[in-house]
Every structure is written in C-alpha cells, then in structure tokens.
Amino acid sequence: MRPLYGLLLLTFRELWAKKIVLGLFLISSLVLLVVTFALNLDVVEGSLEGIRLFGQNAAPSGEGAEAQTQMTLNRIVVTVESVVAGAAYWIGILLSLFASAGLFSDVQAPGRVELLLSKPVSRTQVIVGHVIGVWAAIALLTIYLMGGTWLVMSIKSGVWNPRFLLSIGIVIGMFGVMYAAVMLMGVWTESTALALIVAYGLIFISMVLAGAGEIASVLGPVGRPVFWGLYHALPNFTEVTTIVTSLSKDQAVSSWYPLISSVLFARRDF
C-alpha cells in the first residue's frame, strides 16, 4: 500500500510542477466567479420580485408575474448548470487530456522507469498509481467546479437540483475512459502526440457514430454490421453528452447505454 501511496504523491507533484493543476484550478475559479456574480435576485419581504442576469433584468412583468418569475428563475438555474456541465464535459476533458497526456511518457523515459522499477514496486503498481493520481486530481478539480456551481446557484436561488451532481460522476468517469485510450497508445508507441491524436480521433468518430440510426440505414449489407460493430466497441463520447444534459436539466435519461459501453471500452483498454 505504501508504494502505491508514494506513486500517487509522485504523480500529484508532477501535476503541480508542470502547473497543470494550477492552470485548471484558475480556469475553474474564474468560471465560479462569473457564475457567482452573474445572477442577482431582488427579494422584498421574503418574496422574489426581480431577477438580474449579468446586470440585465430577466424577470417577467404583468399579470401573474410572481409565478412567472419563479419559473424564469428555475429556467435560468437549469440553463447555467447545464452550460457549466457541458463546458466541463467537452472543454474540461479536452483540456485535461491535453495537459496530462505527456505525464506517462515522462514516466517511461529511459532512466526514470528503471529507477522506479528498482524500488519494491511492480509495473502494474506504477501504472495503477499513475492513473489513480491523474484521475483523482481531475476528479477534485471537477468537483470543485461543478459542485461549486451547484452550491452557488442553489444557495442564491433556492432551486436545488440534486440530479446535477450525478453529472459530475459522469464527467469524471468519461475523462477516465478517454485517458485509458491515451495510456494505451502511450504504452504502445511511447508517443504523446500520437496518443492525443488517437484520443481526439475517437471523440471525432463518436460524433459520426452518434448518427448511427440514420447512417446505418443507408449502408450496404457489409458496411452496416461493421458500422454497428464500431458503435458498440468504441466509446460513445458524443452521445454521453445527452446524459449529462438530461441530468443537468433534471430530466429523465432516455438511455444509459452510451455510458455503459464507454466504460466497458475503458476496461478493455486497461
């Protein structure tokens, strides 16, 4: 257990030394500041009288204004949370992959890997310790950003959407899925650039696979099973976006299959 703990600390130190954690933390903090000061509520004698978003009045007026104001507030909160969740999913994961992709290549550098393996640790422990360290760091940053957004919006508005918290786990999990692809290519090729190209290529392919129903219908008897095989074998990064959005908007999830198949892809990689 102690060797694994030491490898975790080593990974955290590398992330900090390369300013990866600091950079992502500053970006997350900036987003939280914007969210904190974007929404202002006018409450008079315990009743919500007005809503200002980025300084602009967003509250309806006229007959039934109070009920409409509450509905508008609910929509604003849901919209802000879904935008932050979508940004954390797409921009956050892409940035995190780009920032952390080179770490494992550094571990495999001649001289360093021999030094690590000269200690009482196995290759498996080195890989597991590195993966858990990177994953834990990104998880903490994701919780800080999305959890902070949820708390700020909920406390300021009184609109609590606990299902939004589930999307945090999905963002963290999908980062793990895509980082598994980066790790696999990094081990095979020892090339950070190629590992990133493959990971981003899988994301691009998932955009095509998201239209599986329409595309498969126009393919021939040979192309159709090949296409569906890719759909079930590769991570459905794009389609998982709909799950994140549904949870952020407190809506029912139509299908969990894209997430399940993506997690299975990561298990095959590891």
Side-chain angles (χ1 to χ4, degrees), residues 74 77 81 150-165 250:
N74 291 344
V77 171
E81 289 180 346
W150 179 75
L151 277 176
V152 168
M153 296 302 295
S154 299
I155 292 173
K156 293 189 70 172
S157 67
V159 178
W160 298 83
N161 175 20
R163 284 169 61 85
F164 174 78
L165 298 177
D250 198 19

Side-chain angles (χ1 to χ4, degrees), residues 42-241:
D42 296 328
V43 180
V44 179
E45 296 181 355
S47 177
L48 180 62
E49 297 294 336
I51 304 171
R52 290 196 302 275
L53 187 64
F54 294 105
Q56 302 297 317
N57 184 27
S61 58
E63 186 177 351
E66 184 175 348
Q68 293 180 32
T69 298
Q70 185 61 45
M71 292 176 61
T72 301
L73 179 60
N74 291 344
R75 286 197 297 268
I76 290 175
V77 171
V78 167
T79 300
V80 171
E81 289 180 346
S82 61
V83 168
V84 171
Y89 184 76
W90 279 94
I91 301 175
I93 289 179
L94 292 178
L95 282 177
S96 299
L97 288 174
F98 181 80
S100 60
L103 290 177
F104 192 68
S105 296
D106 293 342
V107 173
Q108 297 183 96
R112 184 171 182 184
V113 66
E114 287 82 2
L115 177 62
L116 285 173
L117 294 177
S118 67
K119 309 297 181 182
V121 294
S122 64
R123 291 180 181 271
T124 301
Q125 286 177 318
V126 171
I127 294 175
V128 171
H130 172 81
V131 170
I132 293 177
V134 173
W135 187 75
I138 299 302
L140 289 174
L141 288 168
T142 304
I143 293 171
Y144 170 67
L145 171 60
M146 297 181 66
T149 299
W150 179 75
L151 277 176
V152 168
M153 296 302 295
S154 299
I155 292 173
K156 293 189 70 172
S157 67
V159 178
W160 298 83
N161 175 20
R163 284 169 61 85
F164 174 78
L165 298 177
L166 295 176
S167 64
I168 298 177
I170 293 176
V171 172
I172 296 171
M174 286 304 295
F175 168 78
V177 169
M178 301 314 300
Y179 194 69
V182 171
M183 285 280 294
L184 178 64
M185 294 307 301
V187 171
W188 278 357
T189 66
E190 298 184 4
S191 170
T192 301
L194 183 57
L196 274 176
I197 289 172
V198 170
Y200 290 160
L202 288 173
I203 293 174
F204 175 78
I205 291 172
S206 74
M207 297 179 186
V208 178
L209 296 177
E214 294 78 8
I215 296 175
S217 63
V218 300
L219 295 177
V222 176
R224 190 177 298 114
V226 172
F227 186 86
W228 280 115
L230 292 174
Y231 177 83
H232 294 295
L234 298 179
N236 294 295
F237 188 88
T238 301
E239 285 193 303
V240 174
T241 308

